[in-house]
């Protein structure tokens, strides 16, 4: 890991936390000290996030869970498998990474999620939701095969539990009767308020709240009574369990073969430890510990508004007010998508909008407000979302799935089998395509060109800016059949978004500038930097044509073949993996037409390796995907050609003389 400069700004001394450098040190504390450790962690997260931003609310809600887990279990021997990992800042702090927290999500710093190569305590890499139960079940089965006896604990949120994979794992775990502990972090929230029938079920369990609060508090009181406390507690617990068995609507878990412990106040570390100790005693199958938590717990003044504080930018520590960048910026692609969808939906009542648990992240939140009957949040269920859309299109609707490029990976077979094989009229708008920045490898959207380009019937496009994005949205909706558009995270470039969206010809590129013996063919976000690079080259006497490809499928074969016949150098540029990407499509076209011998083809994009987290500008520059990088690569490639030409001329002259 690169050397890090660590800011120092703790306003309040972390009394207990500053001496806890590992879970072993935590485990030396007395149970009644755990709340104080939790308070220290909460304060430290708040102070740090107020400066740099991060998954503040999600992690604040899981502070006591982190403390209780590392106290009750012998980590890392016992395996903790966190789902998503966005809520695990407390876990990071307790597992030797406390002082690195201020580097989280920054280049060279801690990952914002979990990585096996970052810590022995991160037993399974995460970032996408609903994976923890499957991974934990696999670990538990492996443990049993090897004759080992440690515990395996999956920690999963209520919304991730409703994800398809998690439900599949529940199904198998109940059947196998493997010893496995599931800690359900139930805060009634996804990023947006949780949706779905499972949420309703969990809410009904919550309804017995008064009784359970009482139970946890009484538990603490009894434990604190010297000598008799433990015996009194055990007696009370027997009564409590009998009441719980009668009161709790645990049918779903019971029927599926899980034992149920709960629910427990997820902000009471001692109650949590007790529940986890109880879970450890279950030897004959999986057990679920149901903890009730509050997302954003402790967030100043805004504790109630935890929807907005799932993840935050920097904020004022005293008030919680967010610190906005002072410079007004161009609208974000996400916002332009939401606005344009509303316009298009107003004109065509067949258009419907779908999101898989990302209403705010995709701009569908505005649509849900304006067209509640024609827009759906399906929860963390990308696969279902795509086939749900396919069903709608069979009946004449025009569904638009707004799903991040990285999360659409989940639904590949649904795209192939349910949409494209049947040539159904489903559209995919892929936000966060390209390098996303701080969220890093699990969230970069670098594969969508490769995985969609190979599927018959699919039309694939990427706008050069937010104005053209509006044109493409109209074009997609008027096109009959599957189509997908990718666009980057963040702000547009200031293009006109007030004009009426234009209908574009499918498979037709746009020439941005013309001339010279070089052609730069750029896709999507790389078009404007390519134009800037060409201007720089022109100032140095190298003229270049710049093409905005617009479509990778179908390619503008006419234009590309003409360029291949007339130019000496063609450079393709894309913000995606090179393998199978846009440049590959151009190379295939030239190869199929026997033109690769006559022209030098250079493909610029992201190499075949895992791309770390960090400032997107920095990462793009690292791979030459900015105006400077394109300029340099074109110039170098051109100079090689010129040197070769000079060499050939020299040889020809020598041969003649
Ligand atoms: C496959 C996938 N889809 C969407 C997301 C985006 N996402 C990250 S956290 C989150 C909400 C998770 O809710 P829950 O499991 O209840 O945990 P909480 O954040 O409430 O602690 C979502 C939708 C993701 N990480 N993975």
């Amino acid at each position: 890991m690169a050397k890090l400069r660590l800011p120092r700004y703790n306003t309040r001394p972390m009394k207990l936390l500053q001496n806890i450098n590992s879970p072993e040190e935590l485990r030396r504390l007395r149970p009644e000290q755990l709340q104080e450790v939790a308070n220290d962690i909460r304060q430290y997260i708040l102070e740090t996030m107020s400066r740099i931003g991060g998954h503040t609310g999600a992690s604040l809600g899981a502070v006591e869970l982190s403390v209780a887990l590392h106290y009750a279990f012998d980590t890392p021997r016992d395996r903790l498998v966190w789902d998503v990992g966005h809520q695990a800042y407390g876990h990071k702090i307790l597992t030797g990474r406390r002082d690195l927290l201020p580097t989280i999500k920054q280049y060279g710093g801690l990952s914002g999620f979990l990585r096996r190569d970052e810590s022995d305590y991160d037993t399974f890499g995460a970032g996408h939701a609903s994976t923890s139960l499957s991974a934990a079940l696999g670990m538990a089965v492996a443990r049993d095969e090897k004759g080992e006896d440690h515990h395996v604990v999956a920690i999963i949120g209520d919304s991730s539990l409703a994800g398809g994979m998690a439900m599949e794992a529940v199904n198998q775990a109940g059947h196998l009767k493997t010893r496995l502990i599931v800690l359900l972090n139930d805060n009634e929230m996804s990023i947006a308020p949780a949706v779905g029938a499972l949420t309703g079920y969990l809410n009904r369990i919550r309804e017995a709240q008064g009784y359970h609060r009482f139970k946890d508090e009484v538990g603490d009181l009894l434990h604190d009574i010297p000598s008799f406390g433990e015996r009194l507690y055990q007696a009370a617990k027997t009564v409590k369990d009998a009441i719980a068995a009668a009161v709790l609507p645990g049918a779903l878990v019971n029927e599926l073969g899980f034992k149920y412990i709960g629910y427990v106040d997820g902000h009471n570390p001692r109650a949590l430890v007790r529940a986890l100790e109880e879970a450890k005693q279950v030897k004959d199958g999986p057990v679920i510990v149901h903890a009730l938590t509050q997302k954003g717990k402790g967030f100043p003044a805004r504790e109630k508004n935890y929807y907005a504080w799932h993840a935050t930018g920097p904020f004022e520590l005293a008030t919680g007010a967010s610190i906005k960048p002072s410079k007004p910026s161009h609208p974000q692609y996400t916002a332009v998508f939401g606005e344009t969808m509303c316009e298009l939906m107003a004109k065509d009542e067949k258009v419907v909008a779908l999101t898989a648990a990302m209403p705010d992240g995709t701009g569908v939140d505005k649509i849900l407000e304006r067209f509640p009957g024609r827009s759906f949040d399906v929860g963390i269920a990308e696969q279902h979302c795509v086939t749900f859309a396919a069903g709608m299109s069979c009946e004449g609707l025009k569904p638009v799935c707004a799903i991040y490029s990285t999360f659409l990976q989940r639904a590949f077979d649904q795209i192939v089998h349910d949409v494209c094989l049947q040539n159904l009229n489903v559209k995919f708008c892929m936000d966060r395509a390209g390098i996303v920045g701080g969220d890093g490898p699990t969230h970069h959207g670098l594969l969508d060109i490769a995985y969609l380009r190979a599927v018959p019937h699919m039309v694939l496009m990427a706008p050069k800016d937010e104005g053209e994005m509006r044109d493409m949205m109209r074009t997609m909706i008027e096109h009959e059949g599957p189509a997908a558009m990718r666009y980057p995270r963040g702000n547009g470039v200031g293009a006109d978004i007030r004009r009426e969206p234009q209908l574009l010809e499918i498979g037709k590129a746009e020439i941005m500038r013309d001339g010279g013996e070089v052609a730069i063919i750029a896709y999507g976000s790389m078009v404007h930097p390519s134009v800037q690079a060409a201007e720089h080259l022109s100032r140095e006497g190298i003229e270049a044509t710049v093409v905005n490809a617009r479509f990778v499928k179908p390619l503008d074969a006419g234009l590309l073949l003409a360029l291949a016949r007339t130019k000496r150098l063609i450079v393709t540029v894309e913000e995606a993996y090179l393998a199978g990407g846009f440049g590959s499509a151009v190379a295939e076209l030239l190869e199929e037409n026997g033109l690769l011998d006559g022209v030098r083809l250079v493909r610029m994009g992201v190499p075949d390796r895992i791309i770390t987290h960090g400032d997107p500008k920095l990462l793009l520059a690292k791979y030459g995907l900015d105006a400077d990088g394109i300029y340099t690569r074109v110039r170098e490639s051109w100079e090689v050609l010129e040197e070769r030409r000079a060499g050939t001329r020299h040889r020809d002259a020598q041969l003649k003389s």
Side-chain angles (χ1 to χ4, degrees):
M1 206 177 281
K3 199 159 176 359
L4 303 160
R5 273 184 298 124
L6 299 180
R8 300 182 60 81
Y9 45 74
N10 289 318
T11 51
R12 172 180 166 276
M14 299 179 290
K15 274 200 279 164
L16 277 177
L17 186 59
Q18 66 190 353
N19 295 320
I20 298 173
N21 297 304
S22 69
E24 291 88 75
E25 285 169 347
L26 174 78
R27 293 194 276 269
R28 279 186 216 130
L29 300 180
R30 294 186 308 280
E32 54 276 24
Q33 291 178 293
L34 296 183
Q35 187 64 61
E36 195 180 333
V37 178
N39 296 346
D40 281 356
I41 294 176
R42 178 162 283 111
Q43 189 61 23
Y44 181 49
I45 291 177
L46 276 165
E47 283 167 2
T48 311
M49 292 307 119
S50 73
R51 312 250 163 175
I52 60 172
H55 279 103
T56 311
S59 281
L60 287 175
V63 167
E64 285 81 6
L65 300 188
S66 308
V67 171
L69 282 162
H70 284 289
Y71 193 77
F73 290 97
D74 180 18
T75 52
R77 186 176 169 273
D78 290 336
R79 315 283 200 257
L80 302 185
V81 186
W82 294 85
D83 208 87
V84 188
H86 65 311
Q87 76 291 52
Y89 293 7
H91 158 83
K92 292 198 182 219
I93 290 168
L94 287 169
T95 51
R97 289 169 277 182
R98 182 193 56 217
D99 297 343
L100 289 175
L101 191 70
T103 71
I104 200 160
K105 296 173 88 171
Q106 293 162 45
Y107 188 72
L110 287 182
S111 159
F113 299 93
L114 298 174
R115 290 177 62 146
R116 281 168 60 82
D117 57 5
E118 192 178 281
S119 165
D120 288 344
Y121 294 89
D122 293 4
T123 60
F124 199 71
H128 287 200
S130 312
T131 63
S132 62
L133 263 59
S134 303
L137 184 58
M139 289 178 189
V141 167
R143 170 202 60 205
D144 295 347
E145 292 278 319
K146 292 194 285 179
E148 294 170 351
D149 66 351
H150 53 266
H151 294 283
V152 180
V153 190
I155 305 105
I156 187 165
D158 50 314
S159 294
S160 298
L161 180 64
M165 256 182 99
M167 281 291 147
E168 290 168 32
V170 164
N171 191 35
Q172 197 196 3
H175 164 72
L176 288 180
K177 305 234 177 311
T178 306
R179 183 163 63 86
L180 170 72
I181 299 172
V182 176
L183 176 57
L184 173 61
N185 173 13
D186 179 6
N187 55 20
E188 296 176 272
M189 293 291 293
S190 180
I191 294 178
V195 294
L198 187 74
T199 300
Y201 165 73
L202 293 174
N203 284 347
R204 285 195 293 285
I205 299 183
R206 277 176 175 263
E207 272 156 25
Q209 192 151 12
Y211 156 70
H212 283 277
R213 277 255 161 79
F214 170 77
K215 174 197 83 184
D216 291 334
E217 282 155 16
V218 169
D220 283 352
L221 286 173
L222 294 179
H223 264 284
D224 287 344
I225 301 174
S227 332
F228 296 109
E230 183 58 30
R231 262 183 288 159
L232 282 173
Y233 172 74
Q234 289 305 335
K237 197 170 101 47
T238 312
V239 177
K240 174 210 94 179
D241 286 348
I243 300 171
V247 169
L248 287 174
L252 176 65
V253 275
N254 286 337
E255 300 301 322
L256 285 169
F258 274 71
K259 298 259 169 16
Y260 176 91
I261 296 175
Y263 56 67
V264 55
D265 176 356
H267 297 299
N268 179 336
R270 293 177 69 185
L272 280 167
V273 169
R274 281 198 296 273
L276 294 171
E277 291 294 346
E278 214 173 299
K280 281 184 184 177
Q281 304 313 314
V282 179
K283 307 282 186 211
D284 56 349
V287 52
I288 189 159
V289 178
H290 185 181
L292 299 191
T293 61
Q294 213 185 341
K295 207 163 201 170
K297 171 86 178 164
F299 198 90
R302 300 275 184 102
E303 201 164 316
K304 291 254 152 50
N305 186 18
Y306 39 66
Y307 179 11
W309 298 107
H310 170 87
T312 64
F315 54 86
E316 283 181 20
L317 193 51
T319 62
S322 77
I323 300 170
K324 296 247 161 59
S326 49
K327 208 173 100 216
S329 48
H330 303 304
Q332 297 194 329
Y333 281 95
T334 304
V336 176
F337 168 80
E339 292 293 325
T340 310
M341 272 299 284
C342 288
E343 284 172 38
L344 295 167
M345 287 173 80
K347 287 188 187 138
D348 184 346
E349 61 184 21
K350 294 217 168 87
V351 179
V352 292
L354 310 178
T355 173
M358 306 298 290
D360 57 332
T362 56
V364 172
D365 51 352
K366 300 278 168 320
I367 309 169
L368 282 160
E369 275 165 29
R370 256 201 71 200
F371 299 97
R374 288 164 59 197
S375 46
F376 302 85
D377 177 359
V378 302
I380 306 177
E382 290 80 6
Q383 296 158 286
H384 160 67
C385 185
V386 172
T387 307
F388 177 52
M392 289 176 159
S393 81
C394 290
E395 300 299 324
L397 295 184
K398 299 179 184 173
V400 177
C401 302
I403 300 181
Y404 288 8
S405 164
T406 186
F407 300 144
L408 194 62
Q409 289 163 198
R410 278 267 162 104
F412 182 59
D413 186 53
Q414 285 70 19
I415 293 170
V416 176
H417 179 269
D418 299 330
V419 176
C420 290
L421 278 184
Q422 313 190 79
N423 200 15
L424 290 176
N425 200 13
V426 179
K427 316 299 170 196
F428 302 96
C429 290
M430 297 177 288
D431 203 321
R432 310 315 198 253
I435 285 178
V436 296
D439 282 344
T442 53
H443 283 60
H444 293 314
L446 296 171
L447 284 161
D448 56 88
I449 303 176
Y451 74 72
L452 293 176
R453 193 167 74 78
V455 190
H457 288 309
M458 183 61 95
V459 167
L460 277 188
M461 60 190 95
K464 64 177 183 290
D465 54 38
E466 66 275 34
E468 193 168 74
M469 178 192 197
R470 285 167 52 75
D471 300 337
M472 287 192 172
M473 288 175 69
R474 176 171 167 206
T475 306
M476 285 173 99
I477 282 171
E478 297 203 15
H479 170 73
E480 272 287 324
M485 173 181 69
R486 75 188 313 252
Y487 44 99
R489 178 176 192 268
N491 301 95
V493 300
D496 183 5
I497 50 172
R498 273 177 299 248
R499 65 174 171 77
E500 273 293 293
Q502 304 296 303
L503 198 60
L504 303 175
E505 189 181 334
I506 302 254
K508 199 92 197 114
E510 178 192 28
I511 297 174
M512 304 291 294
R513 60 181 282 147
D514 201 2
E517 292 179 284
V518 178
I520 306 174
I521 307 171
Y523 190 53
S525 60
M526 290 293 108
V527 173
H528 286 295
S530 296
V531 170
Q532 288 161 20
E535 283 161 1
H536 189 174
L537 288 162
S538 172
R539 288 196 293 276
E540 298 185 358
I542 303 171
E543 289 305 326
T545 294
V546 178
V547 173
N548 165 19
R550 280 186 178 153
F551 297 87
V552 61
K553 188 173 179 164
L555 281 174
D556 190 342
L559 176 66
L560 292 175
L561 294 177
L563 290 171
R565 290 192 177 101
T566 52
K567 307 288 178 189
R568 288 172 59 213
L569 173 64
I570 289 186
V571 180
T572 62
V573 199
E574 63 197 298
E575 191 181 337
Y577 277 130
L578 282 167
F582 169 68
S584 299
V586 174
E588 287 163 21
L589 178 78
L590 300 195
E591 183 265 331
E592 281 159 17
N593 287 274
L595 288 171
L596 272 178
D597 288 342
V599 64
R600 167 95 176 105
L601 176 68
V602 170
R603 293 177 302 125
M604 295 188 68
V606 179
D608 183 14
R609 66 179 73 129
I610 302 298
I611 308 303
T612 187
H613 54 272
D615 180 352
K617 272 205 183 115
L618 190 146
L619 291 172
L620 285 169
K622 184 170 170 186
Y623 296 105
L625 297 174
D626 58 6
D628 275 352
I630 299 166
Y631 156 81
T632 307
R633 187 77 186 274
V634 173
R635 193 175 171 111
E636 283 169 6
S637 307
W638 177 248
E639 278 165 1
V640 170
L641 284 184
E642 285 293 88
E643 275 162 27
R644 274 196 210 146
R645 178 145 81 175
T648 315
R649 280 201 190 123
H650 183 66
R651 264 198 314 280
D652 288 350
Q654 277 185 332
L655 283 174
K656 269 188 202 150
S657 63

